[in-house]
Amino acid sequence: MKKLTWILAASALTLAACGGEEADTGTTEGGEASKDIKLGATAGPYSDMLNAAIVPALEEKGYTVETIEFSDYIQPNNALNNGEIDANLFQHTVYLENFETENDMDLSALITVPTAPMGIYSNEFDSLDAVSDGATIAIPNDPVNGARALLMLQDEGLVELDPEAEVLQASERDVTENPKNLVFQPIEAGQLPRAVEGTDLAAVPGNFALAADMDLLDALALENMPDQYRNVVAVSAENEDSELAADLVEIVESEEFEAVIDEQFEGFGKPEWMAE
């Protein structure tokens, strides 16, 4: 799908690091596709996932891999569309599809990967059962993450949503039952980790929680996210059937990949295909 960002450095530095050079996607003298590739991710857990769980397996297959970190959620898709990188990992399907439409691009999601879930955090209550009447909960103020927060609250029995509402676009207007009279406080998603200190509850997207050195397992509840909100490995549509695309899918589907996830990415929600 996972602005959502892990910004710790200025975007100018990231763009300088990219250097504007196009990825080497040509052919060798023998006519074979080049195995010198560039992969992009936002700084943080998905860059870590590339380096720990994907790049070593690609290198075993003979690829020479450069990982490029971006500091926003715009440049990774621009770079992919322009051929500056060969694949990226940072976004969920909903974001990818919206970005394609808004920017007239043709990109493809290859496979869904384990993703840091949104969590409900609190310094006031030690369980959701202990939440008092009229408690304030900070939720993301953007439509996509706001809908995720409301769906999670419904899953935990704290609210009920209109069954006619579009699931991925639910808003406060769709709340039909609010037995604890929760007071919603929409704020910018990147500020939600700080909101844990100033509100009774906060629904914090996983990437921002990790950026703030929060432990996913400290949440009172973690999101059982739909796969549309899990991050994907993406390529340009013209490379969807390439050898690299096939190798990326094979690697992510491997037991070795899942073992790294279990060891180094505790708390990440696995996609449906991993449970099959």
Side-chain angles (χ1 to χ4, degrees):
M1 29 232 49
K2 293 129 161 281
K3 152 262 130 190
L4 302 174
T5 182
W6 283 75
I7 298 178
L8 296 178
S11 59
L13 293 177
T14 297
L15 295 177
C18 296
E21 297 180 1
E22 292 191 357
D24 181 4
T25 56
T27 58
T28 64
E29 291 183 3
E32 297 178 354
S34 171
K35 286 200 167 185
D36 293 336
I37 62 171
K38 295 181 181 180
L39 304 180
T42 47
Y46 301 105
S47 176
D48 293 342
M49 188 178 291
L50 278 181
N51 289 322
I54 294 178
V55 171
L58 284 170
E59 290 175 340
E60 287 182 4
K61 290 179 175 292
Y63 290 92
T64 299
V65 186
E66 178 182 354
T67 302
I68 298 175
E69 290 189 355
F70 294 90
S71 61
D72 63 44
Y73 274 60
I74 305 298
Q75 293 304 318
N77 279 339
N78 287 342
L80 184 59
N81 185 64
N82 295 335
E84 297 168 13
I85 60 176
D86 300 286
N88 66 36
L89 172 57
F90 77 99
Q91 66 196 320
H92 53 58
T93 301
V94 175
Y95 181 88
L96 173 61
E97 292 177 348
N98 287 340
F99 195 95
E100 283 186 285
T101 300
E102 293 174 359
N103 294 278
D104 192 26
M105 293 181 180
D106 195 7
L107 309 177
S108 295
L110 290 179
I111 190 167
T112 310
V113 301
T115 304
M118 181 179 289
I120 299 176
Y121 297 85
S122 177
N123 289 339
E124 183 70 22
F125 307 112
D126 58 10
S127 73
L128 292 182
D129 290 337
V131 173
S132 60
D133 187 84
T136 298
I137 179 166
I139 65 172
N141 65 359
D142 62 282
V144 170
N145 287 311
R148 290 173 63 188
L150 292 172
L151 288 172
M152 181 168 54
L153 291 173
Q154 178 171 254
D155 287 343
E156 297 301 326
L158 292 173
V159 303
E160 289 186 17
L161 301 175
D162 185 344
E164 301 297 322
E166 175 60 44
V167 172
L168 302 182
Q169 299 176 13
S171 70
E172 292 176 54
R173 298 189 303 271
D174 298 310
V175 176
T176 57
E177 299 288 340
N178 184 4
K180 288 186 178 287
N181 298 303
L182 296 177
V183 177
F184 299 104
Q185 182 180 337
I187 64 175
E188 198 275 322
Q191 300 303 314
L192 284 164
R194 295 183 180 179
V196 176
E197 298 290 337
T199 58
D200 298 316
L201 301 156
V204 185
N207 58 323
F208 292 115
L210 293 172
D213 292 326
M214 298 168 65
D215 188 336
L216 296 179
L217 301 184
D218 285 341
L220 303 184
L222 289 173
E223 171 188 27
N224 181 21
M225 66 176 70
D227 268 6
Q228 296 98 318
Y229 290 140
R230 299 189 198 277
N231 283 4
V232 296
V233 177
V235 297
S236 63
E238 64 182 6
N239 290 325
E240 186 175 6
D241 297 320
S242 66
E243 179 183 3
L244 173 61
D247 287 338
L248 285 168
V249 171
E250 179 184 333
I251 289 167
V252 174
E253 289 180 340
S254 70
E255 293 180 359
E256 292 79 8
F257 176 86
E258 188 167 7
V260 174
I261 297 300
D262 291 342
E263 180 181 351
Q264 300 186 32
F265 298 87
E266 191 175 10
F268 279 52
K270 294 179 180 179
E272 293 178 4
W273 66 263
M274 275 191 166
E276 295 176 353

